[in-house]
Amino acid sequence: MLIYVVEDDLSILKLIEYSLASKGYEVKCFENGEDFFKENMEKPADLVLLDIMLPDIDGIEILKRIKENPQTKKTGVIMITAKTTEYDIISALDLGADDYIKKPFSVMELISRVGAIARRIESEGSKENLLEFNGIVIDDLKRIVTIDGEQVSFTFKEYELLKYLVLNKDIVISREKLLTYIWGYDYEGETRTVDMHIKLLRDKLKEKRKYIKTIRGVGYMLSSKE
């Protein structure tokens, strides 16, 4: 997990960096908002530890920008600040901060709070990598397919074909579109290649083969509808 720490107090910054790195996290530190945004645009963090009082951009403004950007809105954010009023805490949480830790804080408290958010982020990420359809489960991170709990082996093209059908369930997809997407724009083969791989796919799906519908004269569709 990649964690960015934005804090202008160098002693606190180094303490956080050392503490999190010792727990196996990848940590990068910034003393101002401008440097943070430059790096986060190129390589977004999974979690940001963000001080409110910064020399250039206010931490609340940074939080707003993180949550308004579609590419970073799911980033976990823990606010770290000396401000302790209820208004400050509510403002940060209302804008989408996941947690709030007050200075001074103990290392154990910091690690505990980071760990809690990290587990949530990893759990949500693993769910996003799973595609499911009527007992067919595709773990796209591990490239593993299970059918009713039993792992089934697929070739690269078979896997990509099944994944594409699941992603587009209940949508009729032409042979030409499948050929272009799975085999690429420069592929010079015939649409018969698609038919052959659909047959192989059906054989491995066994009783689930019924969900791959042949749409005569057009192509195929994955659907549980009769």
Side-chain angles (χ1 to χ4, degrees), residues 126 129-130 138-146 151 159:
S126 64
N129 287 318
L130 292 180
I138 301 173
D139 185 332
D140 200 36
L141 187 64
K142 299 177 181 178
R143 294 185 70 85
I144 291 174
V145 179
T146 57
Q151 187 172 327
Y159 175 89

Side-chain angles (χ1 to χ4, degrees), residues 5-10 12-13 30-31 51 54 80 103:
V5 185
V6 191
E7 166 65 64
D8 64 333
D9 187 319
L10 193 57
I12 295 177
L13 195 64
F30 306 90
E31 294 181 62
D51 186 22
L54 293 168
I80 302 178
K103 300 176 185 176

Side-chain angles (χ1 to χ4, degrees), residues 1 9 17 20 34 55 57 92 99 128 155 157 168 177 179 197 199 220:
M1 169 169 284
D9 187 319
E17 181 180 24
L20 296 181
E34 184 178 349
I57 308 171
D99 203 353
E128 291 177 1
T155 66
K157 296 299 185 188
N168 295 277
K177 189 171 183 178
L179 195 65
H197 279 78
K199 180 183 182 303
Y220 299 95

Side-chain angles (χ1 to χ4, degrees), residues 33-116:
E34 184 178 349
D35 290 344
F36 159 74
F37 275 120
K38 286 179 182 177
E39 185 71 19
N40 203 48
M41 285 291 290
E42 295 181 9
K43 189 177 181 182
D46 298 303
L47 174 63
V48 177
L49 274 62
L50 177 61
D51 186 22
I52 285 183
M53 301 298 290
L54 293 168
D56 55 350
I57 308 171
D58 183 87
I60 293 293
E61 178 61 29
I62 293 175
L63 175 61
K64 285 181 184 177
R65 294 188 196 179
I66 290 173
K67 294 303 178 180
E68 288 173 356
N69 187 334
Q71 293 183 320
T72 60
K73 66 180 182 180
K74 291 186 178 180
T75 301
V77 179
I78 298 177
M79 305 301 293
I80 302 178
T81 180
K83 289 194 171 185
T84 59
T85 67
E86 184 178 0
Y87 174 79
D88 294 320
I89 296 172
I90 292 173
S91 295
L93 295 176
D94 282 348
L95 286 170
D98 296 88
D99 203 353
Y100 194 103
I101 186 169
K102 303 172 186 177
K103 300 176 185 176
F105 53 85
S106 71
V107 170
M108 291 304 296
E109 179 186 8
L110 174 72
I111 291 172
S112 176
R113 289 176 182 265
V114 168

